[in-house]
Amino acid sequence: MSQAVAVLDVGKTNVKLTLFDQGRLLWERSAPNRILPGPPYPHEDVDSAWAFLLAALSEAARAHKIGALVPTAHGAAGALIGPSDLALPVMDYEFPDVEQIEPDYAKIRPPFSETLSPRVPAGLNLGRQLAYQKWRCPDLFARATHFLTYPQYWAWRLTGVATCEVTSLGAHTDLWDPRRGRVSSLVEGLGIESLIPPLRRAFGPLGPIKPDIAGATSLAPETQVFCRVHDSNASLLPYLVWREAPFTLLSTGTWVILMCVGLALDQLDARDDTLANVNVLGRPTACGRFMGGREYAVIAGAGSNPDIPAIERVIASGAIALPCFSGQGGPYATTKGVIRGEVAAGDGTALATLYCALVSDMMLTRMGATSGDLIIEGSFAGNLAFCQTLGALRPKQRVFAAEDAAGTARGAAMLAHWPPAYSAAAPTPVPAASIAGLDAYRSAWTASIDLLAR
């Protein structure tokens, strides 16, 4: 029986339970993560996710000795809890009606210079979710005793301990002042000072699981739960510990998050949807983001990853994809995506790959991330043409692919033994590729974007 760290990973699309032993993947299970329609608004199906977790823990405990649990989750959800349960449902961040309160919210929202948190659509700013819940659901809101960011909610369900943690509070929420390392003026503006529980480090143990959970899962009663972490920061952890700055991690999935470690914050611009996240050590990290995975799917349709000849065919055809195909994230979230020109059958994935590489390149340039290695992890790491195209666009920087489908969970597992005594597998260098016509294609693409945005 091996001693394992179990990571509960609650994403937008799936919820997973993954077990690790010194970074070695032992076991994993996943299930779809559902959104319920409401009332009072579309919300996360936390009960189904909880039922999955308990069942998966029970199954895992029969095969492995589990010594610790670490939750991780995306950064655009939060839970208002009462003494023993949710006071309000956990809002789906894509709920568009949150925008109805924007005129009033804008009056109390701190400036970008304070929070380094740009205005983003719907509920992607967690502060806007809170304002909506307080103003539109006042009776339910009045029942709340604490506000927990999403990873902390799952830790609370496991332990009964309510805390907050900076990687989640500092993830485009409007609630955190990253330069000063404290809550922003929005907390006072919303009058929610009493709802913010004590801050704890992501790698701090909260205590053992509750007795009823031990009984339901056959886990040992002394199984420890650790404070938990924002999912993109979990992906960053293996590199933050072992790699010299500067470097950039592109964490890819539904979102592409560009995390530039060692980069100054002075070129961040709210208009570009660039921002500062906060790492587990409490330090601000310059970041950019766009909804690359979703946009890729819209442009590509069906098909497998392309190769460089397919990229060159698209370039030669002159077909281009111009942002934005998701309606949220990135410098051009308010423009409607368009494909110009004809793409040969089967080359939709090449067009989508070019598009995502060009957006990544543009955002890195605007942020000033012109030096240091580029490490691609997540779904795009398995797309060699994406990695090679980004490398060809940025020939002064080395590109690496970290083809680890469990990268977020593996990073989160490190928190149970901090600082970690082991390192993650080194990412694979991506060979340089010469792509005919790429520079001219980039110039034409950039000029078309400039015209589209006017």
Side-chain angles (χ1 to χ4, degrees):
M1 299 282 282
S2 53
Q3 181 76 20
V5 177
V7 176
L8 169 64
D9 182 1
V10 184
K12 173 67 173 174
T13 306
N14 295 295
V15 56
K16 301 177 183 178
L17 185 73
T18 313
L19 268 59
F20 296 91
D21 179 12
Q22 293 290 300
R24 181 172 60 93
L25 178 63
L26 298 177
W27 183 97
E28 61 181 339
R29 294 288 185 274
S30 67
N33 198 18
R34 300 192 306 160
I35 299 297
L36 301 177
Y41 42 70
H43 56 270
E44 300 271 354
D45 186 358
V46 296
D47 290 335
S48 290
W50 182 246
F52 161 80
L53 170 63
L54 293 181
L57 281 171
S58 297
E59 182 184 348
R62 291 194 291 269
H64 301 278
K65 181 176 174 57
I66 297 173
L69 300 173
V70 182
T72 183
H74 63 81
L80 286 156
I81 61 169
S84 60
D85 202 355
L86 286 171
L88 293 100
V90 176
M91 185 183 293
D92 173 22
Y93 67 69
E94 294 189 89
F95 175 47
D97 290 1
V98 178
E99 292 282 358
Q100 294 174 1
I101 67 163
E102 183 57 28
D104 291 323
Y105 181 66
K107 296 174 184 176
I108 61 171
R109 185 173 186 269
F112 181 75
S113 59
E114 177 184 343
T115 63
L116 299 179
S117 171
R119 183 199 183 284
V120 281
L124 282 167
N125 293 126
L126 200 47
R128 189 184 291 112
Q129 289 188 34
L130 276 168
Y132 183 94
Q133 290 168 315
K134 182 173 183 177
W135 297 339
R136 296 298 174 89
C137 310
D139 293 341
L140 294 175
F141 191 92
R143 296 165 46 195
T145 57
H146 289 105
F147 169 72
L148 308 178
T149 44
Y150 208 28
Q152 287 68 43
Y153 165 71
W154 295 103
W156 171 76
R157 288 196 72 159
L158 290 163
T159 64
V161 179
T163 62
C164 268
E165 184 275 328
V166 294
T167 67
S168 295
L169 273 180
H172 53 84
T173 65
D174 296 344
L175 297 166
W176 189 253
D177 181 338
R179 290 193 179 98
R180 295 175 179 84
R182 65 189 187 192
V183 295
S184 75
S185 56
L186 179 62
V187 171
E188 181 178 358
L190 279 173
I192 58 171
E193 300 97 323
S194 63
L195 298 182
I196 306 296
L199 280 170
R200 296 281 286 273
R201 293 280 199 177
F203 43 81
L206 296 184
I209 56 174
K210 294 190 290 187
D212 61 315
I213 295 171
T217 61
S218 299
L219 291 173
E222 65 272 16
T223 303
Q224 288 288 313
V225 178
F226 284 75
C227 190
R228 62 276 154 204
V229 65
H230 171 231
D231 55 5
S232 295
N233 270 285
S235 300
L236 179 62
L237 267 175
Y239 308 101
L240 190 66
V241 173
W242 299 106
R243 184 172 284 265
E244 291 274 340
F247 67 88
T248 296
L249 177 68
L250 283 75
S251 179
T252 67
T254 302
W255 289 87
V256 173
I257 312 293
L258 307 100
M259 294 177 278
C260 306
V261 176
L263 186 69
L265 306 177
D266 54 347
Q267 286 189 233
L268 297 179
D269 190 329
R271 293 169 297 182
D272 289 338
D273 199 13
T274 55
L275 66 153
N277 281 333
V278 181
N279 67 32
V280 296
L281 303 176
R283 298 169 186 160
T285 301
C287 294
R289 64 184 169 201
F290 67 105
M291 219 169 190
R294 185 170 292 180
E295 295 198 84
Y296 183 97
V298 172
I299 299 167
S304 57
N305 288 333
D307 55 17
I308 293 302
I311 299 290
E312 291 180 330
R313 285 196 299 271
V314 171
I315 290 172
S317 77
I320 57 174
L322 301 173
C324 164
F325 296 87
S326 66
Q328 52 189 311
Y332 298 101
T334 59
T335 63
K336 184 174 176 57
V338 61
I339 296 174
R340 294 179 178 169
E342 297 295 326
V343 179
D347 282 349
T349 58
L351 179 63
T353 295
L354 264 170
Y355 172 84
C356 290
L358 286 163
V359 175
S360 299
D361 170 63
M362 176 181 64
M363 296 193 74
L364 289 168
T365 297
R366 291 186 179 185
M367 293 167 67
T370 56
S371 63
D373 294 341
L374 303 173
I375 305 159
I376 301 163
E377 71 90 34
S379 57
F380 284 7
N383 183 340
L384 179 59
F386 172 84
C387 301
Q388 290 181 309
T389 302
L390 186 61
L393 290 166
R394 309 188 70 78
K396 295 182 180 180
Q397 294 176 268
R398 298 184 303 173
V399 175
F400 295 81
E403 295 187 55
D404 181 2
T408 295
R410 196 184 308 276
M414 287 183 164
L415 296 173
H417 304 286
W418 189 267
Y422 62 90
S423 61
T428 303
V430 175
S434 176
I435 302 177
L438 181 61
D439 287 343
Y441 186 90
R442 173 171 52 185
S443 296
W445 183 82
T446 302
S448 296
I449 286 179
D450 289 344
L451 289 172
L452 192 69
R454 287 177 186 173

